[in-house]
Amino acid sequence: MARKQRHRHGIWHYICQFSTQLTTAMQCIAALMLGASAGSVYVSPDSIHGVSILGLGFPFFLAFAVLVGCIALLFTPRRSWISLVGLLACCGSIRNYSPINLPNEPPAEAWHVMTWNLGGVQWDDSSRTALKEYIQRADLDIACFQEICPTRSDTLAQALRYRMPYCSFSGKDDGGTGISILSRWPIIGVDTLSDHGANRAQAYTLLLAPGDTLFVVNVHMESMHIPHETRTDYSAIVHREQTNRDTVETISKTLLQHIAENSAVRSHQADSVADYIRHHAGQKILVMGDFNDTPISYTRQRLYEAAPLTDCWRATGTGIARTFNRNAFYVRIDHIFCSSAHFVPYQCRIDHSKLSDHYPVDTYIGNITTN
């Protein structure tokens, strides 16, 4: 009897020891994966092919780290500190991806600014009217648009000139889409920072008052260029409409290849824009547009750290949020930054108006000197 008890005790001891070692190993792996994902933003996708995929995997690594931490807390609480340390080490990246903020009311004199990729608009009479009325109701001071053709930019400018009388469009000479800005203040200078076909970055100098200028950087970074068929197939995988293993593997490889290749192109564009921002560090500056990259990416980090800038969603928004609304891609790729020394953002918002394949992102910008 005593021998059986010792035997059972030995088995139980072995199980406990094994579970402790297993949960410890899982916590270490989860922490390392999360850290690698968070740290990938400092590595150019052009120098290490495919590193951008680590950044895209951040929410999955985070979920895995939290799950493993909860398991460790239940079964090996004395070693759950490993998960806690891993999560604390990445708390800045977690806040970049999914911040939590209390509502903050903007002062009466705050500016209202917006960025919106209009490439997905179906340009019939109904959508033209809805778009014009939406922007009129927004009562904006500055609006930056991406994937807009010159005639539509002119049409919006005419409809909104009572509020934003100044307009500038930049695009290809063949009449394709480009980017544009509508402004309450005169545009006294335009600089091209990056030009890659329909994807480009432009900097506008606005004259706020004699001797007082604002630099607005409107960016539309290189897209993933994922074919429509691949997007549709990916959506079918997410919704479990496609479960064939070989097909899923083929689609996944194709998707990752497009992501890796075009992330390298974006890295060059980000470097060019970052150089301009760094050159104007200390000036009043707004950076906004379609980055085609998530909050955990080289593109976002490169622009953010080029000068002391405030990420308006990080500072005032709440949750992961989504700005691209098609094909089961739940990503926030449209961003607004403002110079930290001059401005305070309020109520950064993503409006779920499905007039385009991107949601509009808007925020209020208060001047620090008047608050």
Side-chain angles (χ1 to χ4, degrees):
M1 187 71 173
R3 184 180 299 175
K4 288 183 179 180
Q5 288 178 342
R6 286 196 300 270
H7 181 67
R8 283 197 293 267
H9 178 74
I11 293 175
W12 178 247
H13 176 74
Y14 175 78
I15 292 173
C16 290
Q17 189 177 42
F18 176 77
S19 64
T20 299
Q21 292 173 348
L22 179 62
T23 54
T24 300
M26 289 175 63
Q27 286 186 92
C28 291
I29 292 171
L32 288 172
M33 291 170 63
L34 184 63
S37 179
S40 68
V41 302
Y42 299 103
V43 181
S44 171
D46 188 47
S47 61
I48 299 181
H49 191 73
V51 70
S52 58
I53 296 170
L54 276 174
L56 285 175
F58 183 82
F60 304 103
F61 297 139
L62 176 59
F64 179 57
V66 171
L67 175 62
V68 170
C70 291
I71 292 173
L73 193 61
L74 288 174
F75 296 101
T76 56
R78 290 184 179 181
R79 297 198 180 185
S80 61
W81 62 267
I82 299 173
S83 291
L84 179 61
V85 169
L87 291 170
L88 287 176
C90 298
C91 63
S93 299
I94 295 171
R95 181 160 172 75
N96 287 344
Y97 201 89
S98 183
I100 298 175
N101 293 289
L102 297 174
N104 56 347
E105 289 294 323
E109 68 276 10
W111 306 339
H112 194 193
V113 304
M114 172 189 286
T115 180
W116 199 355
N117 183 315
L118 298 177
V121 174
Q122 301 298 317
W123 292 100
D124 52 26
D125 291 340
S126 175
S127 62
R128 288 190 187 95
T129 301
L131 179 66
K132 182 182 70 173
E133 291 178 349
Y134 179 91
I135 299 175
Q136 285 176 331
R137 288 194 304 270
D139 202 22
L140 299 165
D141 296 292
I142 299 172
C144 286
F145 301 108
Q146 303 85 40
E147 289 198 68
I148 185 171
C149 72
T151 54
R152 289 162 188 160
S153 178
D154 289 342
T155 300
L156 281 177
Q158 289 296 324
L160 299 164
R161 61 185 305 115
Y162 69 93
R163 175 68 180 180
M164 296 179 288
Y166 304 99
C167 176
S168 178
F169 171 86
S170 302
K172 298 173 68 176
D173 295 332
D174 62 2
T177 62
I179 61 177
S180 71
I181 182 174
L182 299 181
S183 170
R184 172 182 161 190
W185 298 279
I187 302 169
I188 60 173
V190 180
D191 294 305
T192 299
L193 312 183
S194 174
D195 184 358
H196 195 265
N199 301 106
R200 58 198 301 118
Q202 210 81 23
Y204 311 95
T205 305
L206 308 187
L207 183 64
L208 303 178
D212 186 10
T213 55
L214 169 69
F215 298 95
V216 179
V217 180
N218 183 6
V219 300
H220 181 208
M221 298 294 186
E222 188 78 6
S223 71
M224 297 296 184
H225 294 295
I226 300 171
H228 177 73
E229 181 181 356
T230 304
R231 293 187 182 193
T232 303
D233 290 340
Y234 168 76
S235 182
I237 292 173
V238 172
H239 294 102
R240 302 193 64 79
E241 297 167 2
Q242 173 60 265
T243 57
N244 181 273
R245 183 174 179 179
D246 292 337
T247 303
V248 170
E249 184 177 342
T250 300
I251 294 168
S252 300
K253 286 182 178 178
T254 302
L255 185 64
L256 294 177
Q257 181 180 358
H258 281 285
I259 291 172
E261 289 175 352
N262 292 292
S263 292
V265 177
R266 272 196 308 281
S267 69
H268 292 291
Q269 297 171 335
D271 290 340
S272 298
V273 177
D275 288 342
Y276 178 89
I277 296 172
R278 186 170 55 251
H279 181 73
H280 290 82
Q283 305 291 322
K284 293 180 179 179
I285 188 167
L286 299 178
V287 182
M288 64 182 86
D290 177 6
F291 290 19
N292 268 310
D293 251 329
T294 71
I296 308 299
S297 64
Y298 176 82
T299 300
R300 185 264 180 198
Q301 188 65 27
R302 188 76 172 86
L303 270 57
Y304 177 72
E305 68 181 9
L309 298 176
T310 298
D311 182 331
C312 296
W313 182 262
R314 187 184 196 272
T316 70
T318 296
I320 296 174
R322 181 189 194 187
T323 61
F324 184 76
N325 57 50
R326 302 289 167 85
N327 304 112
F329 289 97
Y330 200 99
V331 288
R332 175 162 52 91
I333 57 178
D334 302 83
H335 308 270
I336 301 177
F337 299 159
C338 62
S339 53
S340 304
H342 304 95
F343 303 119
V344 176
Y346 299 86
Q347 290 184 350
C348 191
R349 183 178 68 113
I350 297 169
D351 190 291
H352 293 169
S353 298
K354 281 196 175 180
L355 290 172
S356 175
D357 57 355
H358 288 245
Y359 293 132
V361 182
D362 67 282
T363 189
Y364 289 90
I365 301 292
N367 194 321
I368 284 180
T369 60
T370 60
N371 287 332

